[in-house]
Amino acid sequence: MREEAIQILKEVSEPIRGAELQRMIEEKTGFKIANMTSFMKSVEKLDPRIRKPDRGLYQFVNDTANTEEPHQEMEQNEHEPEENEAVAEQK
């Protein structure tokens, strides 16, 4: 099923809604996906070119350069307080 998800995402040139992707995978494989978010997290681990550009959207990115860095950089920035937050805490 994961390979089918990757294949579908490769064929589609723009981001696709998770619900639409789920429907397509279930139709092609005959299996039901109980939890799409968990399923797609496992697909993302299998192929780092699978990206989630926005809530509920999935995309295959052909650019193999920097496949790991943007995701890691985003995770680091989520944990750092913004300048305004830091100033507010000091006062």
Side-chain angles (χ1 to χ4, degrees):
M1 279 193 349
R2 291 181 189 103
E3 292 79 16
E4 189 63 41
I6 294 169
Q7 186 60 38
I8 291 169
L9 289 168
K10 283 181 180 179
E11 293 170 2
V12 179
S13 61
E14 56 190 42
I16 183 172
R17 305 274 321 147
E20 180 66 15
L21 179 59
Q22 180 176 358
R23 185 189 59 76
M24 293 169 78
I25 295 167
E26 289 176 348
E27 284 178 1
K28 288 189 175 189
T29 64
F31 293 102
K32 180 142 177 64
I33 300 170
N35 185 325
M36 187 62 174
T37 301
S38 295
F39 173 75
M40 286 307 296
K41 288 217 181 271
S42 70
V43 173
E44 289 174 47
K45 287 179 184 177
L46 184 66
D47 191 335
R49 296 172 294 179
I50 304 299
R51 300 285 174 84
K52 188 173 180 182
D54 202 5
R55 183 177 179 195
L57 294 174
Y58 296 95
Q59 177 179 25
F60 181 86
V61 180
N62 281 325
D63 181 22
T64 54
N66 298 327
T67 54
E68 293 290 327
E69 292 177 5
H71 192 269
Q72 290 174 351
E73 188 175 303
M74 185 188 324
E75 287 178 359
Q76 290 173 352
N77 290 340
E78 288 176 357
H79 301 293
E80 295 176 8
E82 293 183 14
E83 285 184 35
N84 293 342
E85 291 177 7
V87 171
E89 290 176 11
Q90 291 175 354
K91 291 183 180 180

